[in-house]
Amino acid sequence: MFLTITTTGSADRPATDLGFLLHKHPDKAQQFSTSHGTAHVLYPEADAQRCTAALLLEVDPIALVRRSRGKGRGGAPDSALGQYVNDRPYAASSLLAVALRSVFASAMKGQCTARPELVAQTLPLRIEVPVLPARGGSELVRKLFEPLGWRVQAEPLPLDETFPEWGDSRYVRLVLEGECRLAEALRHLYVLLPVLDDAKHYWVAPDEVDKLLRAGEGWLESHPEQRVIVGRYLARRWSLTRQAMERLELERLAESDDVAAEEIDNAVDEEADTEEKPVPLAVRRREAILAVLRSAKAARVLDLGCGQGQLVGALLKEGQFTEVVGVDVSMRALHEARRRLRLERMPERQSERVRLVQGSLAYTDSRLKGYDAAVLSEVVEHVDPARLPALEYAVFGSARPRTVVVTTPNVEYNVRWESLPAGRVRHADHRFEWTREEFRQWAREVAARHGYEVSFAPVGPDDPEVGPPTQLAHFRMAGEDDGSRRASGRIREDSGSGEDSGSGEDSGSREGSRSREGSGSRADSRSRENGRSWADSSSEDSAGSEGSAGREGSGASTTGKEVAA
């Protein structure tokens, strides 16, 4: 994708002053790395009368697909169009806007150390974008740029010049001409290019509101198409759009009264505000897991799919847990966990309690045997359904800890997430998300096959219609007579919402007892055979595919596990 900025000058004010404002020397061709490719800055012409700076962005389609895979909330639909075959490398979009901000950061902020007097100067500018997606057509292009003082040419591009009867495409050739400060011109482009494309290549987070208001300062408050600009820029995330509109209205009122916005928005004394902030779901999940492990009197604990080690750190804070082992297939995640836990600086007595090991839950592992408890927190949903039996056998059939705690999202609750589009899962790497009934059915069958009892508990606010955001299953090895039974009782009391406790009809304990009476032994044998056959069938390429199988098998690329909450 390509963009040019041209200005004219005279002997008294040479056009090459553009190089000082852009912080890029006209005699050099420079290149800059971006997350999706390489940006080049060059000057096709540069003399006192006329100077043109060109920004050429070469997009790496492979990096684009890898970074944009399964965008989930707020993702750009075109970034997944035919995977590698789409318009993203050629048509101006948020990719070009981000490159503008990265390459011309100082110019966009209005900074020029060498010639500070140039910043305030109004320049005759001509900006050309050869291919610009315009959802709304040429008319919308004019509505967005003309109120800012630009003379606009938005020439529709034909679908195919050979077949004019096919009509025009949604792309235009854009030419803007006018007199404007360079910093203002760059901020106009930074905001309005992705607005016209009506898509973004990255997840729109709350900090996008601040970016929009900074770039829109001085012109967005009074723009007649303000609502369209804000809504599209924030990927139609209505909570963020509402927040941005409220702040823009506050700025407009402050400007009309010639006072600071803080003087108007002073109804709340932050120091006296005692309203409690909601506890993040990730914290509630760890607290629920710790409560089960405490009352199960577990001392040696496995965190399977430990990710960046948040649960491992919480376990180490309690003296009850004498040995904590974090297992993950991702070495990158394990390095991050080591950094977060500060293992290198940890006292020797403390460091002896923790180990971080690489391993895939798609395979049995003798290192996992003999532990009191194992935790699969937000892991099973990262596993392809066809590989769930392998994970099940590796944990419940081979490792066989006395207690297993499993948490997973409740897909029924997804309708309560305001920013999650209908039909999308919470995280790009989720292979599925279960309803409460589907999760209970799976858990009961696992318990029956391997001789466990199971009870269930909600994690997070328990909605009367759709249940909790996270569901928890507590597996106890059948016949164990210890604190784990008392733990399950407390979980059932805490749920208080009709959650299946495993003691009513079709309970895991009854199925577990039936499994011990005969059917379970056959099922367990079949599970062992399935586990062995799966491993045998993969043995030829296990060495080469361990990484990918592990990621799918254990959900261990878990930088998104907490984010998914």
Side-chain angles (χ1 to χ4, degrees), residues 315-329:
L315 290 166
L316 289 175
K317 292 178 181 178
E318 303 196 18
Q320 172 183 328
F321 306 111
T322 58
E323 183 179 353
V324 181
V325 179
V327 181
D328 205 290
V329 73

Side-chain angles (χ1 to χ4, degrees), residues 445 448-450 515 518-528 530:
E445 291 174 355
R449 280 194 288 268
H450 299 285
S515 72
S519 63
S521 61
R522 291 191 297 274
D524 186 58
S525 176
R526 286 195 299 272
S527 176
R528 294 171 186 270
N530 288 341

Side-chain angles (χ1 to χ4, degrees), residues 231-279:
R232 286 191 174 196
Y233 183 90
L234 297 173
R236 293 184 171 82
R237 289 195 60 190
W238 303 124
S239 61
L240 299 183
T241 300
R242 183 171 59 251
Q243 178 185 342
M245 294 297 293
E246 289 172 353
R247 290 174 60 179
L248 284 169
E249 177 63 14
L250 184 64
E251 292 290 341
R252 187 188 67 79
L253 293 173
E255 184 178 357
S256 63
D257 291 345
D258 196 22
V259 297
E262 292 78 9
E263 295 183 30
I264 297 178
D265 191 21
N266 61 358
V268 176
D269 182 356
E270 295 184 359
E271 294 182 1
D273 185 11
T274 58
E275 181 180 355
E276 293 185 4
K277 295 182 179 180
V279 179

Side-chain angles (χ1 to χ4, degrees), residues 344-355:
E344 304 300 331
R345 302 180 183 179
M346 190 176 288
E348 183 176 355
R349 179 175 297 181
Q350 182 82 332
S351 64
E352 289 176 350
R353 296 170 56 207
V354 59
R355 282 192 300 135

